[in-house]
Amino acid sequence: MTLDERKKRILWAIIQDFIATAEPVGSRTLARKYNLGVSPATVRNEMADLEEMGFLEQPHTSAGRVPSHHGYRYYVDHLMQPTELAESEKELVRVSFETKVKMISEVIQRTGQLLSQLSSYAAMVVSPCANRTRLRHIQLVSMGRGQAMLLVVLEPGIVQHRMMELPPDLTSADLETISQVVNAKISGSQMSELKLTIIREIYAELLRHKSLVAMIMDLIEDSSRSKEDRIYLGGIFNILNEPEFNNVEKVKTLLGLLEQEELICGILSEQDQPGVNVRIGSENSCDDIKDCSMISANYEIDGQRIGSVAVLGPTRMQYAKAISVVEYLTANLSEVLAKMYRS
Amino acid sequence: MTLDERKKRILWAIIQDFIATAEPVGSRTLARKYNLGVSPATVRNEMADLEEMGFLEQPHTSAGRVPSHHGYRYYVDHLMQPTELAESEKELVRVSFETKVKMISEVIQRTGQLLSQLSSYAAMVVSPCANRTRLRHIQLVSMGRGQAMLLVVLEPGIVQHRMMELPPDLTSADLETISQVVNAKISGSQMSELKLTIIREIYAELLRHKSLVAMIMDLIEDSSRSKEDRIYLGGIFNILNEPEFNNVEKVKTLLGLLEQEELICGILSEQDQPGVNVRIGSENSCDDIKDCSMISANYEIDGQRIGSVAVLGPTRMQYAKAISVVEYLTANLSEVLAKMYRS
DNA sequence: GTTAGCACTCACTTGAGGAGAGTGCTAATA
DNA sequence: TATTAGCACTCTCCTCAAGTGAGTGCTAAC
């Protein structure tokens, strides 16, 4: 489906205008405002063509035109000119990221804040997922009265902890020994490499505590596959400024959706393309956001995907801006994390 | 300010009715629906009195009456009959809490979910704050290339972690030694007891690593006073069902508020009474929720406050129900945590 | 002290009319 | 042949007036 230059120009202008005003765009306004050099009548003819091709829609007979999802898609793929962030915005990101952070969760939170602030849409950040990563360290800590805490440190600096019951006759020294033996065997290994052979070796060294070790291995397994990816959501109130969310019903649906962490994780993990993904309206797999667009990207350490960020807004979205914000922040986030956990 | 029996009856009926219908209550309906045994005219007279006393308000001259904040306060203090949770609801709580949980954050999350589900308002839970608590364990874990992670385990099972730079010549064994020495000295002590004497002793034993130890002590201090209380928010979409939130502006204000974690923490920590606190409308310190009511309570371990839960809804709230939900869940939460960390 | 009756108030609904923005079609023009 | 001016038509939205209904306050009777 290839469009001639004038059609492109007109489609571009319509989308541009609609994004800015949220009002159906008429031929007269368009011709005047965008200096198209042709009369409204000509524009009308072109618009009728574009509508027939599926790029535009008409809310009702005597209204202007509105871009269809299809139209937005064409815009994003062919018409939109990428915008760079303003110097002041870059500066803001730089300042936010350069102050010394001590925990991964802080970085995540700041990214989310920046994301929503710069894009003025809702932001979502999934914190590094522990899956498919290396074990760094485990540690048993006695918590008194027959209980212990198992600390599991995974490679990009993720810490998980689990409580466990202890057999009555165990001493703190025992815990320390077990920690050391298990550490010696497993630390640095990929979760998937935690094969039976290693486990057997541990059993062999810790015969006395066989059942305890089994429990520990289970808990390690459990924490490494933990779905408890923390999600940062922010700036939801931002999108309430958009006229498409003037309807409380819609807001309710959206909020209900956003509260379902697993669902959000799922949506964010299904990114087909490398780099920035744009899902427009019905391209979203989830019904509740069929009239939203989502711009998402993965961030990585050493080229390995460890989490995602996304921006959610109405289909009538400032695509160019949102895309560059997501792009810029993902790059920066990857960089900051790499610096934190260079290895 | 004492009311005769009939006035009490009428005030009670008005509030009851308004809570149920969200419509201003008229004399006719009231007299009929609640079998007051007097004519609408009499009810009107009483209503006029109650209005003069400040318990009722009139949206406009020819409308029915609506309870004022003052009226709700009287209702909560004197008129409301406490409701007990239904067996099925208790069962739900029991089931949710009895399945084995491995982390404190799971319990928090479930509590929040139950809170919003049972009350059908928005729920907030502040996770255990590390402040004023005992140190259980610290552990240094090498993260490669001159970096280490400091794990700090605090008494009720809170885990914090911090990244730190290491001097280049340090070995893993050094880290282990330092961990052990510091642990031996400080574990079990209250944060406030971490006086200079102890720190001097540690310095004495670890002369070679003096500056590193100083950094560690700082980070321990930092994590114990960490404001990073995690907040669980849930069921916000619930309150969008209430007619008072049909206005998108209000929703926006509320969402904006709820995203400010520190603010929420602040609001939740200012509970004057032991047990369940009820803040009605303008009794709330924060302007943005001047037309909401908040029911909150602290949960504890060993009688010590370690966090709070709250329910937020319109002033036209099912107080009796909400109060009993908060009460029941706080008690259960305290119990579960005590069981998890019995000491 | 209670009640019936009555005039009055005020929000909300309904429907008609008009304004305005925009369209599609046709015929004239370059 | 492509473009444009002109025009009738469509449809939403705003406004305004009239009518409806729930509720009130006051007064006089019980």
Side-chain angles (χ1 to χ4, degrees):
Chain A
M1 187 113 58
T2 160
L3 299 179
D4 64 46
E5 278 312 308
R6 195 170 66 186
K7 282 204 173 54
K8 282 187 188 170
R9 183 93 200 279
I10 291 180
L11 182 55
W12 175 85
I14 291 175
I15 296 186
Q16 209 70 6
D17 203 72
F18 187 68
I19 287 177
T21 65
E23 298 291 332
V25 189
S27 54
R28 225 181 95 85
T29 338
L30 203 67
R32 205 162 2 141
K33 204 154 145 193
Y34 291 85
N35 290 323
L36 295 178
V38 289
S39 77
T42 312
V43 175
R44 276 207 286 286
N45 287 332
E46 295 288 40
M47 282 165 105
D49 288 351
L50 285 168
E51 182 172 354
E52 208 169 315
M53 291 170 166
F55 293 118
L56 297 179
E57 282 165 0
Q58 220 173 355
H60 56 88
T61 341
S62 69
R65 255 76 169 205
V66 157
S68 66
H69 297 173
H70 198 153
Y72 285 124
R73 170 50 67 196
Y74 192 89
Y75 174 79
V76 168
D77 290 345
H78 302 110
L79 305 178
M80 179 185 76
Q81 44 242 320
T83 55
E84 232 194 311
L85 296 203
E87 251 333 294
S88 63
E89 295 176 318
K90 288 187 180 173
E91 175 68 18
L92 180 64
V93 175
R94 196 160 46 244
V95 170
S96 293
F97 277 157
E98 90 189 346
T99 56
K100 185 98 187 154
V101 285
K102 293 166 233 136
M103 309 172 56
I104 216 165
S105 61
E106 273 180 73
V107 190
I108 296 301
Q109 192 168 343
R110 280 195 204 164
T111 309
Q113 279 164 354
L114 286 169
L115 212 49
S116 69
Q117 199 179 333
L118 294 178
S119 69
S120 60
Y121 299 117
M124 321 188 244
V125 185
V126 182
S127 69
C129 74
N131 223 345
R132 273 194 250 152
T133 187
R134 276 174 200 287
L135 273 163
R136 187 48 106 161
H137 189 89
I138 70 120
Q139 182 74 36
L140 283 167
V141 178
S142 162
M143 295 298 287
R145 304 262 172 107
Q147 291 211 304
M149 179 183 277
L150 173 68
L151 293 165
V152 180
V153 183
L154 295 154
E155 192 55 79
I158 302 166
V159 178
Q160 296 267 346
H161 62 279
R162 296 288 185 273
M163 296 301 295
M164 53 191 288
E165 302 272 337
L166 294 179
D169 53 341
L170 222 71
T171 66
S172 277
D174 285 333
L175 289 183
E176 196 49 46
T177 318
I178 297 174
S179 299
Q180 277 168 20
V181 172
V182 176
N183 260 322
K185 292 291 178 193
I186 68 170
S187 89
S189 54
Q190 202 86 27
M191 273 312 296
S192 50
E193 300 162 13
L194 265 196
K195 290 278 159 51
L196 231 49
T197 48
I198 297 189
I199 299 181
R200 284 237 180 83
E201 285 177 40
I202 299 174
Y203 278 166
E205 286 203 32
L206 293 168
L207 267 179
R208 269 196 350 158
H209 308 295
K210 197 164 171 183
S211 71
L212 189 63
V213 170
M215 196 190 302
I216 293 173
M217 298 313 288
D218 276 353
L219 287 176
I220 292 177
E221 176 80 22
D222 180 66
S223 41
S224 81
R225 74 167 74 243
S226 166
K227 276 279 164 263
E228 220 252 300
D229 310 300
R230 182 167 179 192
I231 291 192
Y232 175 87
L233 291 177
I236 301 177
F237 63 95
N238 266 334
I239 66 175
L240 300 191
N241 287 321
E242 306 295 335
E244 24 275 276
F245 285 96
N246 254 337
N247 173 340
V248 178
E249 263 330 290
K250 277 195 187 164
V251 177
K252 209 184 332 177
T253 322
L254 192 66
L255 274 180
L257 172 75
L258 292 178
E259 282 189 9
Q260 293 168 270
E261 300 216 338
E262 332 79 57
L263 202 61
I264 301 285
C265 279
I267 292 173
L268 283 184
S269 65
E270 44 179 63
Q271 299 193 31
D272 8 87
Q273 294 164 37
V276 178
N277 273 252
V278 180
R279 289 253 168 73
I280 299 167
S282 46
E283 294 170 15
N284 283 296
S285 58
C286 171
D287 269 354
D288 288 341
I289 49 174
K290 283 276 189 254
D291 46 3
C292 290
S293 286
M294 198 171 79
I295 318 271
S296 58
N298 292 324
Y299 58 91
E300 2 189 274
I301 294 184
D302 294 334
Q304 207 189 0
R305 169 194 188 260
I306 57 163
S308 331
V309 312
V311 148
L312 185 73
T315 43
R316 188 187 58 79
M317 184 190 252
Q318 308 248 26
Y319 288 97
K321 180 68 183 283
I323 290 173
S324 42
V325 168
V326 168
E327 206 158 31
Y328 193 76
L329 277 172
T330 331
N332 268 270
L333 179 56
S334 294
E335 200 180 302
V336 170
L337 289 179
K339 215 181 289 168
M340 263 175 102
Y341 302 106
R342 61 190 118 105
S343 58
Chain B
M1 185 113 57
T2 159
L3 299 179
D4 64 45
E5 278 312 309
R6 195 169 66 186
K7 281 203 173 54
K8 281 188 188 169
R9 183 92 199 280
I10 290 179
L11 182 56
W12 175 85
I14 291 174
I15 296 187
Q16 209 70 5
D17 202 72
F18 187 67
I19 288 178
T21 66
E23 298 293 332
V25 188
S27 54
R28 225 180 95 88
T29 337
L30 202 68
R32 207 163 1 141
K33 202 154 146 194
Y34 291 86
N35 289 323
L36 295 178
V38 290
S39 78
T42 312
V43 175
R44 276 207 287 285
N45 288 332
E46 296 287 41
M47 282 165 105
D49 289 352
L50 285 168
E51 183 172 354
E52 207 168 315
M53 292 170 169
F55 293 118
L56 297 180
E57 282 167 358
Q58 223 172 353
H60 55 89
T61 341
S62 71
R65 254 73 170 208
V66 157
S68 66
H69 295 173
H70 197 153
Y72 284 123
R73 170 51 66 196
Y74 192 90
Y75 173 80
V76 168
D77 290 345
H78 302 109
L79 304 179
M80 179 186 73
Q81 45 244 317
T83 54
E84 231 194 310
L85 296 203
E87 251 333 296
S88 61
E89 294 175 320
K90 288 188 180 173
E91 176 68 19
L92 180 64
V93 175
R94 197 161 44 242
V95 170
S96 293
F97 276 158
E98 89 190 348
T99 56
K100 186 96 186 154
V101 284
K102 292 166 233 137
M103 309 173 57
I104 217 164
S105 61
E106 275 181 71
V107 191
I108 297 301
Q109 190 168 344
R110 280 194 205 168
T111 308
Q113 279 164 353
L114 285 168
L115 212 49
S116 69
Q117 198 178 336
L118 293 178
S119 69
S120 60
Y121 298 117
M124 322 189 242
V125 186
V126 181
S127 69
C129 73
N131 222 345
R132 270 193 253 151
T133 187
R134 276 173 201 286
L135 275 163
R136 186 47 106 163
H137 189 89
I138 69 119
Q139 182 74 36
L140 284 168
V141 177
S142 162
M143 295 299 287
R145 305 261 171 107
Q147 291 211 304
M149 179 184 279
L150 172 68
L151 293 164
V152 181
V153 183
L154 295 154
E155 191 55 76
I158 303 166
V159 179
Q160 298 266 344
H161 62 278
R162 297 286 184 275
M163 295 302 294
M164 53 193 288
E165 302 274 337
L166 295 179
D169 54 342
L170 223 69
T171 66
S172 276
D174 285 332
L175 288 183
E176 195 50 45
T177 317
I178 297 174
S179 298
Q180 276 169 19
V181 172
V182 176
N183 261 323
K185 293 289 178 195
I186 68 169
S187 89
S189 55
Q190 204 84 29
M191 275 310 298
S192 49
E193 299 163 12
L194 266 196
K195 291 279 159 49
L196 231 50
T197 49
I198 297 187
I199 299 180
R200 285 237 181 80
E201 285 176 39
I202 299 174
Y203 277 166
E205 288 203 30
L206 293 168
L207 267 180
R208 270 196 349 158
H209 307 297
K210 198 163 170 182
S211 71
L212 189 63
V213 169
M215 195 192 301
I216 293 174
M217 299 312 287
D218 275 354
L219 287 176
I220 292 177
E221 177 80 21
D222 180 66
S223 42
S224 81
R225 75 168 73 243
S226 166
K227 277 279 166 261
E228 218 251 303
D229 310 301
R230 180 166 181 196
I231 291 192
Y232 175 87
L233 292 177
I236 301 175
F237 63 95
N238 267 334
I239 66 175
L240 300 191
N241 287 320
E242 306 294 334
E244 23 276 277
F245 285 95
N246 254 338
N247 174 338
V248 179
E249 263 329 291
K250 278 195 186 165
V251 177
K252 210 186 327 178
T253 322
L254 192 68
L255 274 180
L257 172 75
L258 292 179
E259 282 189 8
Q260 292 168 270
E261 300 217 338
E262 333 77 59
L263 202 60
I264 302 285
C265 279
I267 292 173
L268 282 185
S269 65
E270 45 179 63
Q271 300 192 31
D272 8 271
Q273 295 164 35
V276 177
N277 273 253
V278 181
R279 289 254 168 72
I280 299 168
S282 46
E283 295 168 16
N284 283 296
S285 60
C286 170
D287 268 355
D288 287 340
I289 49 172
K290 283 278 189 253
D291 47 3
C292 291
S293 286
M294 198 172 79
I295 318 271
S296 58
N298 292 325
Y299 58 91
E300 6 190 270
I301 294 184
D302 295 334
Q304 208 189 1
R305 168 192 189 263
I306 56 164
S308 331
V309 311
V311 148
L312 185 74
T315 44
R316 188 187 59 79
M317 181 190 255
Q318 308 248 27
Y319 288 97
K321 180 67 185 285
I323 290 173
S324 43
V325 168
V326 168
E327 206 159 32
Y328 193 76
L329 276 173
T330 328
N332 268 270
L333 179 56
S334 295
E335 201 180 302
V336 170
L337 290 179
K339 216 181 287 168
M340 262 176 102
Y341 302 106
R342 61 190 118 103
S343 57

